[in-house]
Amino acid sequence: MIGAILWGIIGGAIVGYLGRLLLPGRQNISALMTVVAGILAATLGGIIATWLGVGETRGIDWIRHIIQLALAMFFVWLAARMSAKRHTQAVQPRQAP
């Protein structure tokens, strides 16, 4: 059980950083947010691949990994958008009445 959790965190970190690397532009998110996005993408991508019937194949599961990377790119993009929106709302000056 502990081994599966550790491999999930390690695999999620790798998927998250690959997704961040493949996403064009600069993402102003923390390393922790990148790892969380990767863990979510790896987990959800594995579930989707299993649902599609390509989760466990002979050899390397390329389709599963492509799904996980696409989801990682989406989750990193989403986290960057949410972070940017939060920072712009905090910086906006008050309007005079």
Side-chain angles (χ1 to χ4, degrees):
M1 178 72 173
I2 299 294
I5 293 171
L6 286 176
W7 278 115
I9 293 170
I10 293 168
I14 292 169
V15 167
Y17 276 105
L18 283 175
R20 189 172 178 172
L21 180 68
L22 294 173
L23 190 64
R26 180 176 170 89
Q27 298 84 34
N28 269 343
I29 60 174
S30 67
L32 178 63
M33 189 58 71
T34 302
V35 172
V36 169
I39 291 170
L40 288 174
T43 304
L44 187 59
I47 291 169
I48 291 171
T50 301
W51 180 70
L52 293 174
V54 294
E56 295 293 327
T57 60
R58 293 171 58 182
I60 299 175
D61 301 326
W62 290 110
I63 297 172
R64 182 182 68 182
H65 296 314
I66 290 170
I67 293 169
Q68 289 172 334
L69 281 175
L71 285 172
M73 290 172 62
F74 173 72
F75 287 143
V76 167
W77 173 81
L78 191 63
R81 295 279 298 187
M82 289 175 23
S83 175
K85 187 180 290 187
R86 185 176 38 161
H87 289 302
T88 56
Q89 289 176 352
V91 175
Q92 292 178 351
R94 292 183 171 223
Q95 295 180 0

